[in-house]
């Protein structure tokens, strides 16, 4: 039997799913990231990758024909020619790129997707201007002196690119979902001249070669095949982002249908005939066949809820909320200042006051406020020309909260459903399967 492995790297851990050509699940694993300093995250991710694979029974591993990995969008790294990180990675929601806003606006076209403090290009420019110390495990000089570490060549990679490299050994390959916020043009399938010219200079890292998500890149490295028992012809495919993987898992294919991922953060994706890009609101479009996946991602979401409540409290308190009763508490739930969508402002302050003494009332206000942010996001997409919303499917941990779903339905005014499959790992396994069998 031929099996297909998808590995999802989210904000708190890694998950894997193995399916067959009919989409039937044969194995699932989960690995929670260890707490670590940011500079040590590559080691955490690498350990999570190996552990996720080792948890799969050998009798299943030896039937895997294709592997694909998703990662968090705009989590980026700088590596040397051996693929070793030379600086700590910058995470998806890190807004330090606000420091290079003026240069970014001078380079990019008006309202372009990259015009965000958290875009991959903003982070690249921040690195170019010498803002980050070298990775402590390297011998390189510090990056705080206005120049990058002095090495022969540096590679700019996304999280998913680097993790896939660990498997296939080909450095500098990305996909056009991950590369969108770097400025890659999915219409012409190349880097635009304004980008190449805008980053040119002595401290310019090598940009990744960009291929379509799911493109076969190379076979699993021989030593890893021997270690884990993968077949010799097991291929590693170009990946995607975690939110797109969750969308793929849902099985949505009709324009007007959407997926909201309620994980640590909130991401919305609407399948549309029309492409919409507007950096003023953090809205961007991914190419998906002949259609467009229009959406954005907010820093609000489950991480805020878990900051105040345990999982048991969330479950218990939710049952005491009347979802048809509107909360008058008007929050903008963030753990730190800055949001990306539907308000694209790195300095947007959290709004979590007043806090009532009643925990149930407080949770009601949080759930209601996150629902308002989601609804405003979909409203903006349609105002700017996306296909009208007809149905929303929910992925992520928030999909399990029926009270929250009922609150969201009241704001969205369309059916809110949970698809059969919601896991991003399942979606990226589908990507690997479709690549291997040519569909």
């Amino acid at each position: 039997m031929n099996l297909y492995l998808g590995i999802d790297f989210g904000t708190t851990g890694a998950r894997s799913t193995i399916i067959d050509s009919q989409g039937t699940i044969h194995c699932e694993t989960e690995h929670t990231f260890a707490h670590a300093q940011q500079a040590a995250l590559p080691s955490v991710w690498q350990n999570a990758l190996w552990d996720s694979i080792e948890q799969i029974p050998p009798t299943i591993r030896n039937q895997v024909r294709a592997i694909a990995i998703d990662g968090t969008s705009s989590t980026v790294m700088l590596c040397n020619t051996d693929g070793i990180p030379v600086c700590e990675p910058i995470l998806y929601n890190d807004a330090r790129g606000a420091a290079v806003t003026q240069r970014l606006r001078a380079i990019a076209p008006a309202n372009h997707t990259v015009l965000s403090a958290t875009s991959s290009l903003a982070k690249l420019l921040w690195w170019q201007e010498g803002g980050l110390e070298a990775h402590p495990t390297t011998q390189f000089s510090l990056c705080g002196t206005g120049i990058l570490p002095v090495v022969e060549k540096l590679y700019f990679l996304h999280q998913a690119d680097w993790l896939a490299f660990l498997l296939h050994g080909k450095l500098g390959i990305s996909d056009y979902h991950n590369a969108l916020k770097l400025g890659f043009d999915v219409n012409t399938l190349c880097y635009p001249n304004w980008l190449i010219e805008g980053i040119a200079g002595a401290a310019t890292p090598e940009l990744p070669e960009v291929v379509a998500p799911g493109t076969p890149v190379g076979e699993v490295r021989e030593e890893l095949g021997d270690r884990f028992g993968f077949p010799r012809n097991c291929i590693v495919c170009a990946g995607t982002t975690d939110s797109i993987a969750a969308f793929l898992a849902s099985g949505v294919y009709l324009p007007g249908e959407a997926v909201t991922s309620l994980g640590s953060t909130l991401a919305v994706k609407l399948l549309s005939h029309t492409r919409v890009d507007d950096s003023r609101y953090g809205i961007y479009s991914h190419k998906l066949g002949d259609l467009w996946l229009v959406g954005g991602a907010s820093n609000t979401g489950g991480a805020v809820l878990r900051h105040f409540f345990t999982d048991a409290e969330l479950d218990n308190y939710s049952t005491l909320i009347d979802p048809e009763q509107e909360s008058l508490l008007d929050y903008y739930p963030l753990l730190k200042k800055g949001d990306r969508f539907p308000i694209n402002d790195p300095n947007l302050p959290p709004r979590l006051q007043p806090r009532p003494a009643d925990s149930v009332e407080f949770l009601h206000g949080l759930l209601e406020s996150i629902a308002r942010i989601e609804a405003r996001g979909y409203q903006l997409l349609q105002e700017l020309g996306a296909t009208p919303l007809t149905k929303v499917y929910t992925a992520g941990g928030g999909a399990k909260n029926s009270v929250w779903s009922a609150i969201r339905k009241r704001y969205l005014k369309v059916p809110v459903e949970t698809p059969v499959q919601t896991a991003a790992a399942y979606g990226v396994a589908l990507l690997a399967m479709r690549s291997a069998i040519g569909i």
Side-chain angles (χ1 to χ4, degrees):
M1 179 185 295
N2 290 336
L3 299 176
Y4 310 95
L5 169 60
I7 307 177
D8 161 51
F9 275 75
T11 56
T12 60
R15 297 161 186 81
S16 80
T17 299
I18 293 184
I19 63 173
D20 61 26
S21 59
Q22 303 302 310
T24 302
I25 296 174
H26 287 252
C27 180
E28 294 178 296
T29 72
E30 185 168 349
H31 175 104
T32 300
F33 294 149
H35 292 289
Q37 296 294 321
Q38 194 158 324
L41 285 178
S43 294
V44 170
W45 297 336
Q46 179 171 300
N47 290 337
L49 177 61
W50 302 152
D51 181 65
S52 295
I53 295 172
E54 286 172 342
Q55 287 186 55
I56 301 167
T59 54
I60 292 180
R61 288 201 299 258
N62 63 25
Q63 299 178 74
V64 172
R65 301 302 182 200
I67 304 171
I69 298 176
D70 74 67
T72 49
S73 177
S74 288
T75 293
V76 296
M77 317 170 66
L78 283 179
C79 300
N80 65 14
T81 53
D82 294 321
I84 299 172
V86 300
C87 290
E88 67 179 28
I90 305 182
L91 301 182
Y92 66 99
N93 61 347
D94 192 311
R96 70 184 73 184
V100 295
T101 297
Q102 187 173 353
R103 183 179 170 196
L104 188 61
R105 292 191 180 280
I107 292 173
N111 296 330
H112 196 280
T113 303
V114 300
L115 292 172
S116 166
T118 60
S119 74
S120 301
L121 181 56
K123 292 162 184 169
L124 170 56
L125 296 179
W126 188 84
W127 261 321
Q128 279 192 310
E129 297 195 0
L132 194 58
E133 293 182 351
H135 191 285
T137 62
T138 71
Q139 70 274 30
F140 305 121
S141 60
L142 298 182
C143 280
T145 58
I147 57 171
L148 291 170
V150 180
V151 292
E152 183 177 345
K153 182 187 287 187
L154 290 176
Y155 285 85
F156 182 89
L157 299 175
H158 304 89
Q159 180 189 35
D161 308 340
W162 183 72
L163 290 164
F165 154 74
L166 295 179
L167 294 178
H168 57 57
K170 296 184 178 182
L171 191 61
I173 308 292
S174 188
D175 64 273
Y176 60 58
H177 288 161
N178 272 294
L180 183 74
K181 295 179 186 177
L182 179 57
F184 185 80
D185 189 331
V186 293
N187 281 326
T188 62
L189 297 179
C190 65
Y191 291 108
N193 289 334
W194 62 260
L195 172 60
I196 301 300
E197 295 169 0
I199 66 172
T204 303
E206 190 85 7
L207 299 183
E209 175 190 349
V210 180
V211 299
T215 300
V217 175
E219 294 181 351
V220 171
R221 289 190 292 135
E222 185 174 346
E223 61 268 33
L224 292 179
D226 292 340
R227 172 180 172 182
F228 295 119
F230 289 125
R232 290 293 185 195
N233 61 348
C234 180
I235 62 168
V236 182
C237 307
T240 183
T241 67
D242 56 345
S243 61
I244 292 183
F247 186 94
L248 295 174
S250 72
V252 169
Y253 66 94
L254 294 175
E257 295 186 339
V259 173
T260 295
S261 296
L262 290 176
S264 298
T265 58
L266 181 150
V268 305
K269 294 281 189 292
L270 170 63
L271 197 58
S272 173
H273 290 291
T274 308
R275 179 179 184 177
V276 179
D277 295 289
D278 198 321
S279 67
R280 293 175 299 171
Y281 309 109
I283 295 171
Y284 52 91
S285 294
H286 283 285
K287 186 176 177 61
L288 200 66
D290 296 328
L291 298 171
W292 296 95
L293 204 48
V294 183
S298 171
N299 292 335
T300 194
V304 180
L305 300 179
R306 284 194 171 89
H307 179 75
F308 294 105
F309 302 102
T310 65
D311 287 348
E313 287 172 336
L314 287 171
D315 291 340
N316 294 334
Y317 293 158
S318 292
T319 63
L320 302 175
I321 294 173
D322 179 0
E324 300 306 317
Q325 178 65 46
E326 182 179 0
S327 171
L328 298 180
L329 295 169
D330 184 17
Y331 299 142
Y332 203 104
L334 299 170
L335 290 180
K336 60 182 180 180
K337 71 176 184 178
D339 202 10
R340 302 170 284 162
F341 166 85
I343 299 174
N344 188 8
D345 180 359
N347 297 308
L348 183 72
R351 190 168 69 246
L352 293 163
Q353 298 292 335
R355 178 172 177 175
D358 185 342
S359 294
V360 174
E361 186 180 350
F362 181 48
L363 176 59
H364 189 182
L366 290 174
L367 295 178
E368 191 111 7
S369 297
I370 296 172
R372 291 189 193 108
I373 293 170
E374 178 190 3
R376 177 56 184 154
Y378 282 118
Q379 180 185 357
L380 268 174
L381 301 185
Q382 294 164 95
E383 289 175 358
L384 295 172
T387 299
L389 183 69
T390 59
K391 184 183 291 187
V392 173
Y393 291 91
T394 310
K400 302 172 185 175
N401 191 318
S402 60
V403 172
W404 197 4
S405 294
I407 292 171
R408 294 170 50 235
K409 183 177 180 180
R410 174 157 49 81
Y411 279 97
L412 294 169
K413 296 180 172 56
V414 297
V416 175
E417 300 181 7
T418 301
V420 175
Q421 301 293 342
T422 63
Y426 185 89
V428 78
L430 284 176
L431 189 68
M433 182 266 286
R434 291 166 181 167
S435 171
I437 66 178
I439 63 171

